[in-house]
């Protein structure tokens, strides 16, 4: 079998500058899903029909997938799109062509395999998947005569009687390779519409049947933003169900956003309004509390992420605790049992085991050892207006509150900085760094001050 994905349409109803097939669905473009399905069905070849506007982008997206791209120069309908693919296939090279639109992302392998078996066992010329929809809207209607498939009528051309039919065409077909050319020639010759419809092959085929799926969701297509949001929800529900079955607690599945590639270990708990994006991996026994956003990051086992934390492209070690309201920007590595607390921002830094930065701190371009404590209000002054400079802090260091560390600089093992210190030069091991104006107490100053102010009134 050879797989053909039609992806050259104009996406007019999407009201977008880019093709609907590159819009996002749970972290992947729409077109990813049919391509992934074709791959899982082990097609002999996969052909994707594209237009010149998207060709290079599609080639880039599917690098290494072994997909053949075929150009449809003029968007004159699904029949011409299929014809473009057919010109690249010799009729002897396969028995059947499995054809589907690139905008139909919910078809799963199980239903596809049953459909394939259905068509093969009946030796059909044309088979298609149909479904019954409560609101058949713009889908092509399945017209039957004495219960047998007769033809497909597009919604915009349906009569008042035909439009009431709620069995619809999925746009997913199996077409016998040896008949394909003949059927398409008929379509082009006899067409009376503005475009050439692939659906018309049904009328001209002799041995044809529709395979009615019981779960109508699997045939839903995306033409509009509304359909995109509906399908996203259904896809999200599938992703979440898989995680629930694998032992992850998801407190409110309707309000949790987890991308297709995200992996989560068992006994982890995901609270509402969490977004987990891209290639994020979470270990076992983690807590991801409400409102947190995690993107392309690795979270090891037993990590707690408290509410409203943002983590991007970072690696979090076992047993760490983060947030509430922490921001880990790209390239952060936290070793085991690190604590990053309230309103702490970390960027491009490595933080050693058991080190804590519990409150109101900025750590950027730093390398921090183990068992170190970073006091509240500490700032690594990493930027001099021209470039970023590195800060190095050793093991068992105590950084007093409100320390400014002017990089590049190093604070060595077992050193202490006094609260309010501005560190501008190397601090040796076991030293106290203090830069502070000595305190003076001026006795009864307040009394004199008040008197002065009150007399002036
Ligand atoms: C099509 C079917 C309709 C079916 C529905 C299912 C036709 C005429 N109608 O309608 O019966 O119910 O799918 O979702 O086929 N494309 C091209 N080149 C073109 C036009 C379209 O490659 O010139 C591609 C599109 O990118 C898309 C697919 O073909 O992936 C389907 O086209 P679309 O315009 O979405 O067809 P529908 O109106 O949804
Ligand atoms: Ca469509």
């Amino acid at each position: 079998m050879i797989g053909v994905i039609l992806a050259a349409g104009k996406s007019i109803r999407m009201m977008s500058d880019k093709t609907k097939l590159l819009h996002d669905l749970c972290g992947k473009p729409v077109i990813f899903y049919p391509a992934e399905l074709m791959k899982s069905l082990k097609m002999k070849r996969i052909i994707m029909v594209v237009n010149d506007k998207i060709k290079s982008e599609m080639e880039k997206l599917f690098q290494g997938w072994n997909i053949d791209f075929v150009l449809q120069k003029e968007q004159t309908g699904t029949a011409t799109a299929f014809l473009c693919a057919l010109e690249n296939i010799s009729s002897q090279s396969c028995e059947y062509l499995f054809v589907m639109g690139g905008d139909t992302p919910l078809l799963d392998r199980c239903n596809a395999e049953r459909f394939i078996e259905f068509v093969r066992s009946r030796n059909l010329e044309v088979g298609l998947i149909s479904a019954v929809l409560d609101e058949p809207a713009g889908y092509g209607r399945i017209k039957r005569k004495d219960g047998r498939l007769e033809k497909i009528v597009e919604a915009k051309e349906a009569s008042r009687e035909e439009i009431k039919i709620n069995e619809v065409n999925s746009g997913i077909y199996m077409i016998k390779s040896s008949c394909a050319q003949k059927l398409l020639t008929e379509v082009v010759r006899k067409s009376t519409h503005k475009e050439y419809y692939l659906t018309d092959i049904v009328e001209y085929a002799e041995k044809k049947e529709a395979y009615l799926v019981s779960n109508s969701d699997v045939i839903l297509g995306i033409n509009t933003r509304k359909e995109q949001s509906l399908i996203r929800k259904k896809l999200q529900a599938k992703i979440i169900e898989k995680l629930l079955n694998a032992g992850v607690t998801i407190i409110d599945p309707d309000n949790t956003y987890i991308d297709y590639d995200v992996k989560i270990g068992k006994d982890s708990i995901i609270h509402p309004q969490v977004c987990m994006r891209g290639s994020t991996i979470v270990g076992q026994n983690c807590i991801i509390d409400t409102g947190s956003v995690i993107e392309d990051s690795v979270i090891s086992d037993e990590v707690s992420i408290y509410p409203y934390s943002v983590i991007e492209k970072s690696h979090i070690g076992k047993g760490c605790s983060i947030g509430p309201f922490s921001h880990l920007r790209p390239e952060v590595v936290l070793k085991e049992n690190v604590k990053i607390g309230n309103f702490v921002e970390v960027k491009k830094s490595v933080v050693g085991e058991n080190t804590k930065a519990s409150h109101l701190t900025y750590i950027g371009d730093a390398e921090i050892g183990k068992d170190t404590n970073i006091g509240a209000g500490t700032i690594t002054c990493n930027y001099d207006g021209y470039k970023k400079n590195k800060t190095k802090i050793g093991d068992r260091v105590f950084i007093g509150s409100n320390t400014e560390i002017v990089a590049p600089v190093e604070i060595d093992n077992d050193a202490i900085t006094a609260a309010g210190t501005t560190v501008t030069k190397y601090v040796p091991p076991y030293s106290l760094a203090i830069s502070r104006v000595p305190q003076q107490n001026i006795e009864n100053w307040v009394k004199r001050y008040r008197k002065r102010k009150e007399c002036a009134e």
Side-chain angles (χ1 to χ4, degrees), residues 13 20 78 101-104 139 170 220-223 227:
R13 289 162 282 182
K20 61 185 176 184
T78 44
D103 60 351
T104 311
Y139 290 89
S170 64
L220 295 177
I222 296 180
N223 299 312
E227 288 166 334

Side-chain angles (χ1 to χ4, degrees), residues 6-11 13 20-21 49-50 72 74-81 100-104 138-141 152-154 156 168-171 173 195-199 219-223:
L6 308 181
K10 289 185 278 213
S11 305
R13 289 162 282 182
K20 61 185 176 184
L21 303 176
V49 185
V50 292
Q72 182 190 10
E74 281 170 276
Q75 277 58 65
T76 46
T78 44
T80 27
M100 69 187 290
D103 60 351
T104 311
Y139 290 89
R141 305 297 199 266
I152 295 170
V153 183
E154 288 306 297
K156 57 180 171 230
V168 301
N169 171 30
S170 64
Y173 317 90
E195 288 188 347
Y196 296 111
Y197 295 168
L198 181 53
T199 47
I219 68 113
L220 295 177
I222 296 180
N223 299 312

